[in-house]
Amino acid sequence: EAQVTQNPRYLITVTGKKLTVTCSQNMNHEYMSWYRQDPGLGLRQIYYSMNVEVTDKGDVPEGYKVSRKEKRNFPLILESPSPNQTSLYFCASSLAGVSEQYFGPGTRLTVT
Amino acid sequence: GNSVTQMEGPVTLSEEAFLTINCTYTATGYPSLFWYVQYPGEGLQLLLKATKADDKGSNKGFEATYRKETTSFHLEKGSVQVSDSAVYFCALGGYQKVTFGTGTKLQVIP
């Protein structure tokens, strides 16, 4: 089954404790990205990757890191989480930026 | 940069009413346009898409036409059902970035 998986689905952590949210796709897509969803703000792109070893900033990259060492995986790293990063995070993949995005189920992160 | 503006919600309609959710955009180049739907507690899924000017996307009774002259991609449905209650996002896919609108919550009451 074609899918995007994210782990964990729910995470409660404390300020400053490094965390990683994993994302994996099995569709051989070249384009992957991370979004955060906040009430009233819709989805905002954090980082995107157009291919292996190619990553670039989206609209809200501050406080986040990503890497793309393999085509299928695109982890999101918060090295020092802060409460303003409490949000619902979605990973997505597609053939390209102009193509349909396939979304993961979301990760709800709470930083206290 | 690219941007997407969609009408604020919530929108409350009675079953079988006509639905319009407005979406306008600004963009450089030749982006694709999308409508995604998010049902309560779920992720986003594609509703319909259009890849070039004058294309009409359609799915499940929903339609939207890519209008370059008015930079719009309004979502319409002739007769909504309770099961259409969800949040609808207009999105613009560029060569690099993808830009979403803020979402419009639709509630359909019996």
Side-chain angles (χ1 to χ4, degrees):
Chain A
E1 180 191 354
Q3 60 181 348
V4 177
T5 56
Q6 293 179 230
N7 283 293
R9 294 289 313 278
Y10 301 90
L11 180 59
I12 301 174
T13 189
V14 296
T15 299
K17 186 176 181 182
K18 181 179 179 179
L19 66 92
T20 299
V21 184
T22 64
C23 173
S24 183
Q25 51 96 3
N26 63 1
M27 294 169 278
N28 203 36
H29 285 161
E30 295 195 345
Y31 188 97
M32 297 186 73
S33 61
W34 277 101
Y35 302 88
R36 58 178 291 174
Q37 182 178 9
D38 301 290
L41 297 176
L43 268 77
R44 294 178 292 168
Q45 194 172 38
I46 302 170
Y47 269 94
Y48 63 94
S49 169
M50 297 176 72
N51 213 328
V52 175
E53 302 291 2
V54 179
T55 63
D56 210 342
K57 297 177 181 178
D59 294 320
V60 287
E62 294 77 21
Y64 304 94
K65 282 178 58 176
V66 294
S67 67
R68 186 95 180 271
K69 294 185 171 57
E70 306 164 279
K71 198 171 190 178
R72 62 184 293 126
N73 297 324
F74 191 46
L76 179 69
I77 303 157
L78 285 72
E79 297 217 323
S80 184
S82 63
N84 65 11
Q85 293 178 297
T86 292
S87 188
L88 179 59
Y89 291 86
F90 287 102
C91 180
S93 74
S94 63
L95 290 170
V98 295
S99 305
E100 169 189 356
Q101 303 276 303
Y102 292 80
F103 283 85
T107 295
R108 186 165 292 281
L109 172 65
T110 302
V111 184
T112 61
Chain B
N2 297 341
S3 68
V4 173
T5 303
Q6 64 180 104
M7 62 187 286
E8 288 192 25
V11 174
T12 302
L13 295 173
S14 297
E15 206 165 23
E16 299 184 3
F18 185 85
L19 168 71
T20 300
I21 301 178
N22 291 336
C23 172
T24 57
Y25 67 91
T26 58
T28 55
Y30 303 94
S32 296
L33 297 174
F34 306 89
W35 278 99
Y36 289 89
V37 59
Q38 184 179 35
Y39 297 104
E42 298 184 11
L44 280 77
Q45 55 186 276
L46 179 72
L47 180 60
L48 55 83
K49 64 182 180 183
T51 57
K52 61 183 188 298
D54 300 324
D55 267 3
K56 177 187 278 190
S58 61
N59 186 25
K60 299 181 182 179
F62 291 89
E63 293 183 342
T65 301
Y66 190 156
R67 302 272 188 213
K68 202 166 172 69
E69 65 276 11
T70 54
T71 62
S72 64
F73 193 56
H74 304 322
L75 182 69
E76 297 182 336
K77 186 176 186 183
S79 176
V80 294
Q81 306 300 312
V82 172
S83 57
D84 294 326
S85 297
V87 181
Y88 293 82
F89 292 93
C90 184
L92 184 155
Y95 173 67
Q96 293 178 307
K97 290 185 178 181
V98 179
T99 304
F100 281 79
T102 53
T104 302
K105 184 174 182 178
L106 170 66
Q107 183 178 10
V108 181
I109 53 178

